Amino acid sequence: MTTFYSAALHTRFISFFAVLLFMLPLAEPMHARQNQDLMQRRAQQVNPVQTPSFDMSGVAGSFYFLDQFGINLGMSRMSGDAIDPATYRVGPGDLVTIVLTGNQSGTFRGLHVNPQGMVTLPNVGSVLVNNMLIEEAQAAVNELVRRSFRDTQATFTIERPRQITVHIAGDVPNPGSYFMPAHTRLDQAVLPAFFEREQDGEEGSASASPAAPSSSRISTRPQPDASRVNVRNPAELPNLSRDFILNGRFAFRNIEIRRAGGDTVHGDLVSYTVGGLLTGNPELKHGDVVLVRKKQEFAPQVSVSGSVVSPFTAEFRADDTIESLIAIAGGFTFDADTEAVQVHRFTMNGMQRIEVRDPAGFPLLPNDRIVVGFDADRRSNFSARVEGEANLPGVFPIERGVTTAADLLELAGGLSPKANAGAARLTRNRASWERLPDELNPFAYNADRIRRASDQLVEGFEYLEFEDRLGQNFVFIDLSDPEQLATVKIYENDVLHIPRDQQSVFVFGQVMNSGFYTFTEGTSVQEYIRRAGGFALASDPDRVFVIKAGSNAWMRPSETTLQSGDLIFVDRQPFESLDMVRENDFRRRELRNRNIQLVLSGLATITSVITAYVAITR
């Protein structure tokens, strides 16, 4: 019995030991995973950044590493936009990602480039990447990886660019130090220095970053300094406008950038804003000092005008050339005469006009004005449109100011059988005309300018402006008049509208039945009024008008011949209200009674005189 129990106890002990040996390999990964979870939770208590978990334990020869400290350090500042791998240079503070492929695969995320310019790969080593282009840094990392792993390639990418400090100084409203991404260009760097900022209800310091926390805000208080721009949200900072760059009071063509190493470069935001030249808008480096000065009142200027894409006037620079300034202006236009470049220069003998044959070798002086002429033969892309009842309506090429209405009508194939020639309209686009000085342009006048020499009342000036608005784009034309067609000139964007002849006359006003009535040759105006039911009760038969189609001229029936498309208008009696009508009738009766009394008084007087005469003579 004792032997049996001993054997059973021995068997149970062996079974328990075997189970323990079997569970031990499973418990070690569980314990390791619990320790890893505990470390992650502790890290998250210090670093609130939430990162996705990647389980790569099931892939043979693969590993994944995430630098939580580096991620937290990079997230504490603003990240910028996409970088240019061809120009971006790696430096201290960058967060990088290195991916290994080949014989050994793995991912290193959030690696921080330390202040010495080195990046460290866990269990691999460190490599110097400072001031290297991305391709150069990738080659250096590959060299390091090949020392540890065979047939393995590394891919080097920037996960988050570093932040640099740039000092904006000079005459800007808010000078100071600003944090910004390493690849920030000059225009975005100086932008926050022109904005009025407040922090927690009080005006913030001038060194406030454009990526301020949500607690900071932009001041909306009106500022006496016109250079300050007020917006509500720091994320809504607009770009510096072209008008602000060209017409503001700052010398944006001569921005001085002092490098930390002692070098000095210059920025030209005019060349960038007007001409899109990136050379005038360089990328800034850590420690750069940017000086923006005000324009001097009598500082020399230079201008480019004429047949260039974007004419401009800006301050003069000593390195300006005709070619560089034309490049800033966007180059020549299609109709430019490149051999007709002139420089207008003021000298002691007066204004001098210089014909420039070799722009490359021509030296510019302060206050020179560059004017590019045009080739008249290239300005042939003018057109006018014919719509409505033409045999071939459409858009036709014209010679501005030379093509006549008769020529245009001929290009359109003439009038269709259904056209109403007397009701045509020619609409002119005044914006297409060449600009003339006001004193030479009969269509350009200002009522205020002639007010002092006129006896007009306010209503008169209002009426003058009203008439100008009605007729400014309208040219009267009668397509049935060959003489007029030969004299009316056509300009670009003119529109000739030829209406359809509806063979009708419109009768309206104080008639019983207003509307359209079939036109019959030789029918009188009175007949059309009769067809419309005759005069209404409030009509004035003495005020009947014919409004001509096309010209809209008001004429008496006896002064014109009624044509298809004309309008017949019957005016009403000049009574504004029923009270006025009653008052008018009362005054008429009162005047009649007074006349009767006056006649009776006269008769009584005559009777008295006759009676007295008879009495005396007897």
Side-chain angles (χ1 to χ4, degrees):
M1 190 69 178
T2 302
T3 303
F4 175 75
Y5 282 112
S6 298
L9 183 61
H10 183 68
T11 302
R12 292 180 178 177
F13 178 77
I14 293 175
S15 301
F16 175 76
F17 184 73
V19 172
L20 183 62
L21 292 177
F22 177 76
M23 293 294 294
L24 185 60
L26 299 179
E28 290 181 356
M30 294 178 60
H31 180 70
R33 189 175 293 109
Q34 291 176 355
N35 290 337
Q36 184 178 2
D37 294 342
L38 179 60
M39 292 177 63
Q40 290 181 355
R41 286 195 298 269
R42 290 178 178 177
Q44 290 177 357
Q45 291 177 358
V46 178
N47 175 21
V49 177
Q50 299 295 328
T51 57
S53 60
F54 292 83
D55 186 8
M56 302 184 64
S57 59
V59 181
S62 299
F63 57 89
Y64 177 82
F65 175 80
L66 176 65
D67 187 355
Q68 284 276 9
F69 175 76
I71 291 291
N72 184 40
L73 187 62
M75 290 289 288
S76 63
R77 293 177 181 174
M78 179 189 70
S79 64
D81 298 329
I83 63 175
D84 184 4
T87 60
Y88 186 82
R89 292 190 176 274
V90 183
D94 284 336
L95 289 183
V96 302
T97 294
I98 299 176
V99 179
L100 304 182
T101 57
N103 187 36
Q104 181 69 45
S105 62
T107 301
F108 298 88
R109 285 200 60 205
L111 300 180
H112 184 256
V113 180
N114 64 25
Q116 295 178 336
M118 304 184 69
V119 61
T120 300
L121 278 71
N123 300 326
V124 178
S126 300
V127 60
L128 181 66
V129 294
N130 185 42
N131 202 32
M132 291 184 179
L133 297 174
I134 293 180
E135 290 184 355
E136 297 172 347
Q138 181 169 308
V141 173
N142 269 321
E143 181 66 23
L144 173 66
V145 170
R146 280 195 293 267
R147 299 174 187 173
S148 302
F149 307 109
R150 297 179 55 186
D151 300 329
T152 301
Q153 299 293 326
T155 301
F156 183 93
T157 58
I158 300 295
E159 183 162 329
R160 195 179 306 277
R162 65 188 179 277
Q163 299 288 316
I164 62 175
T165 301
V166 175
H167 309 279
I168 311 298
D171 299 321
V172 294
N174 299 313
S177 301
Y178 291 85
F179 289 112
M180 56 194 63
H183 57 286
T184 301
R185 293 190 177 271
L186 176 62
D187 64 324
Q188 292 297 315
V190 301
L191 180 63
F194 292 96
F195 287 76
E196 180 72 10
R197 304 184 61 84
E198 289 187 358
Q199 180 78 19
D200 295 332
E202 298 179 357
E203 187 173 350
S205 64
S207 60
S209 168
S214 59
S215 60
S216 65
R217 64 180 182 272
I218 302 297
S219 171
T220 57
R221 296 179 301 176
Q223 301 294 330
D225 189 350
S227 63
R228 298 178 186 265
V229 185
N230 300 315
V231 294
R232 293 182 179 275
N233 191 339
E236 297 175 355
L237 293 179
N239 293 324
L240 297 178
S241 66
R242 174 190 171 108
D243 181 70
F244 184 76
I245 293 291
L246 290 177
N247 303 322
R249 56 187 185 88
F250 295 95
F252 285 112
R253 287 206 70 203
N254 293 285
I255 298 178
E256 184 179 349
I257 304 173
R258 299 175 182 175
R259 302 289 189 192
D263 297 334
T264 299
V265 297
H266 289 85
D268 183 357
L269 291 185
V270 173
S271 66
Y272 169 72
T273 304
V274 179
L277 304 179
L278 286 177
T279 54
N281 189 23
E283 292 185 358
L284 300 182
K285 297 182 179 180
H286 179 72
D288 281 353
V289 178
V290 180
L291 291 176
V292 183
R293 298 297 186 185
K294 292 181 181 179
K295 288 182 180 178
Q296 300 179 23
E297 183 177 0
F298 299 103
Q301 293 184 332
V302 67
S303 67
V304 182
S305 60
S307 298
V308 292
V309 176
S310 298
F312 72 95
T313 300
E315 61 264 28
F316 176 79
R317 286 179 45 159
D319 58 347
D320 281 337
T321 64
I322 293 179
E323 291 181 329
S324 65
L325 292 174
I326 291 178
I328 293 175
F332 297 109
T333 58
F334 172 79
D335 60 344
D337 185 356
T338 57
E339 297 181 356
V341 179
Q342 299 179 355
V343 172
H344 295 253
R345 177 177 297 170
F346 184 79
T347 64
M348 297 298 296
N349 298 324
M351 187 62 63
Q352 182 181 7
R353 183 175 63 182
I354 306 173
E355 299 286 345
V356 180
R357 299 301 179 185
D358 182 16
F362 186 86
L364 289 177
L365 297 180
N367 296 316
D368 279 352
R369 300 293 187 261
I370 302 171
V371 181
V372 181
F374 67 93
D375 187 350
D377 294 335
R378 296 186 179 183
R379 293 189 172 184
S380 58
N381 59 340
F382 305 121
S383 62
R385 186 170 76 252
V386 178
E387 58 187 22
E389 292 301 324
N391 289 320
L392 186 63
V395 178
F396 303 95
I398 64 166
E399 188 176 357
R400 179 175 57 179
V402 176
T403 303
T404 64
D407 299 332
L408 181 62
L409 190 60
E410 182 180 356
L411 292 174
L415 299 175
S416 71
K418 299 180 180 180
N420 189 343
R425 298 179 65 91
L426 179 62
T427 304
R428 176 148 296 165
N429 182 8
R430 287 181 61 180
S432 66
W433 295 0
E434 293 183 352
R435 288 187 58 85
L436 295 174
D438 289 347
E439 60 270 14
L440 299 180
N441 187 356
F443 295 96
Y445 65 87
N446 189 334
D448 293 332
R449 184 175 298 173
I450 63 176
R451 188 183 300 273
R452 290 177 297 179
S454 173
D455 61 355
Q456 288 270 31
L457 299 177
V458 176
E459 294 81 1
F461 288 104
E462 293 177 352
Y463 172 71
L464 192 66
E465 296 173 354
F466 169 74
E467 288 290 347
D468 176 61
R469 291 195 302 270
L470 288 180
Q472 62 181 356
N473 293 335
F474 173 71
V475 178
F476 172 71
I477 187 170
D478 185 357
L479 300 184
S480 62
D481 186 354
E483 183 178 355
Q484 186 185 26
L485 290 178
T487 57
V488 175
K489 304 299 183 181
I490 302 299
Y491 293 85
E492 67 270 26
N493 301 323
D494 281 358
V495 179
L496 176 60
H497 177 73
I498 307 172
R500 180 187 292 264
D501 190 356
Q502 303 290 349
Q503 288 295 310
S504 63
V505 173
F506 185 69
V507 183
F508 68 112
Q510 293 300 317
V511 293
M512 301 303 294
N513 299 306
S514 299
F516 289 94
Y517 293 89
T518 303
F519 173 73
T520 305
E521 190 74 30
T523 303
S524 66
V525 172
Q526 296 298 328
E527 176 60 23
Y528 284 107
I529 295 176
R530 187 193 64 79
R531 294 179 185 180
F535 293 106
L537 181 62
S539 63
D540 187 350
D542 294 332
R543 292 182 57 82
V544 177
F545 301 94
V546 175
I547 304 175
K548 303 299 293 183
S551 65
N552 292 330
W554 288 52
M555 306 184 72
R556 296 285 185 178
S558 59
E559 299 173 348
T560 183
T561 300
L562 198 63
Q563 296 176 333
S564 176
D566 289 348
L567 293 78
I568 300 175
F569 175 68
V570 179
D571 201 358
R572 64 176 297 165
Q573 295 182 12
F575 296 142
E576 297 181 1
S577 65
L578 181 60
D579 292 338
M580 185 175 293
V581 174
R582 291 176 177 176
E583 183 178 356
N584 191 30
D585 291 339
F586 174 76
R587 288 181 178 179
R588 286 183 177 181
R589 290 195 298 268
E590 184 179 6
L591 180 60
R592 188 183 304 114
N593 293 336
R594 288 181 180 178
N595 292 335
I596 293 174
Q597 291 178 0
L598 182 60
V599 172
L600 294 178
S601 299
L603 292 175
T605 302
I606 294 173
T607 303
S608 299
V609 172
I610 295 174
T611 303
Y613 176 76
V614 172
I616 293 172
T617 56
R618 284 182 180 179

